[in-house]
Amino acid sequence: MRTSGAAALIIILAGMLAGQEPGFQQRHPRYRIEIGDVVAFTFTFTPDYNQTVTVQPDGYITLREAGDIQVLDKTTQEVVDIVRSAYGKVLHEPEITIELKDFEKPYFVVGGEVQHPGKFDLRGDTTVVQAVTLAGGLNDRALNSQILLFRRVSKDLVEVKKVDMKHMVNSGNLSEDMHLQPGDMILVPRNKMSKISRFIPFPSLGMYFSPSIP
C-alpha cells in the first residue's frame, strides 16, 4: 500500500519527536559531504588505487574497481568505512585515508529586517545575536522578540527555533543565545508570526526569505 506525501511526512515527524531533539543539540557537528566536494583517497599499502574524485550532482562518487558509491551528507569517517568495505572485495583489509581537497565553505544566512541581509562565512563559534550584528544589526522595522532560526535536520525537513533577542539583551542574559551550525538561516521578521510549525518542509524556506539573498 502506498503512503501519501502528507502521511509520510507525519511518520517522519513522529519518529523525530519520539527520539532526541534533532539538530540543535550538537554544538560542533562533523562536516558532511556536499555535492561538488573534491575528495582524495589514499591507499597506504596499494598506492595504485590512490584517486581523487568529485561528488556528482546525484551525491555519488565513482571509484576505480569499486563503482558508484553514495556519499552525500556523510561524514568523512563514514565515507572511509563505506569505501573500505567496497574495496574489501578486491583488496585484503585495505588501509584508506581521505582528504577533502575542495569543499563547501561553512556559511550562514541572515534575512529579513537587518541592515545587510545576505550570506556570510561562518568563521569560528558564532551565535544568533552575533550573526545579526555581522549583518549590520536590526533596522527600524525589525521585530527582535521573535527571530527565527532555521536548521536543516534531514534532506526534506527544517527545524525552526524562536529566539527572543529583545529579552536576552534587556535582561543581559545571553545564555539562550543559540550557536550556529553551517547552513543555518536566520530570519528577522517585521511582524509576529503566530503560526509556524516546529518542522517545515525544506522547499518552504523560499516563502520566508527574500529571493535577493544569494
Side-chain angles (χ1 to χ4, degrees), residues 165-183:
M165 181 174 169
K166 180 179 180 180
H167 172 73
M168 286 192 295
V169 173
N170 288 343
S171 65
N173 181 7
L174 300 179
S175 62
E176 297 180 4
D177 194 9
M178 295 183 181
H179 295 260
L180 301 186
Q181 292 185 11

Side-chain angles (χ1 to χ4, degrees), residues 58-123:
D58 59 2
Y60 282 80
I61 56 174
T62 301
L63 297 178
R64 190 165 58 251
E65 294 191 35
D68 294 337
I69 297 176
Q70 216 281 347
V71 297
L72 181 64
D73 203 36
K74 299 186 185 307
T75 66
T76 53
Q77 184 57 56
E78 289 171 340
V79 173
V80 167
D81 292 341
I82 293 171
V83 172
R84 184 180 292 120
S85 176
Y87 274 101
K89 301 173 184 177
V90 295
L91 298 173
H92 178 66
E93 297 183 356
E95 185 69 30
I96 304 170
T97 59
I98 185 175
E99 179 183 358
L100 287 172
K101 293 291 188 179
D102 192 16
F103 55 93
E104 175 74 49
K105 304 303 186 293
Y107 70 90
F108 63 91
V109 170
V110 182
E113 304 303 328
V114 291
Q115 300 292 345
H116 305 294
K119 183 177 179 180
F120 302 85
D121 291 338
L122 181 58
R123 299 173 178 173

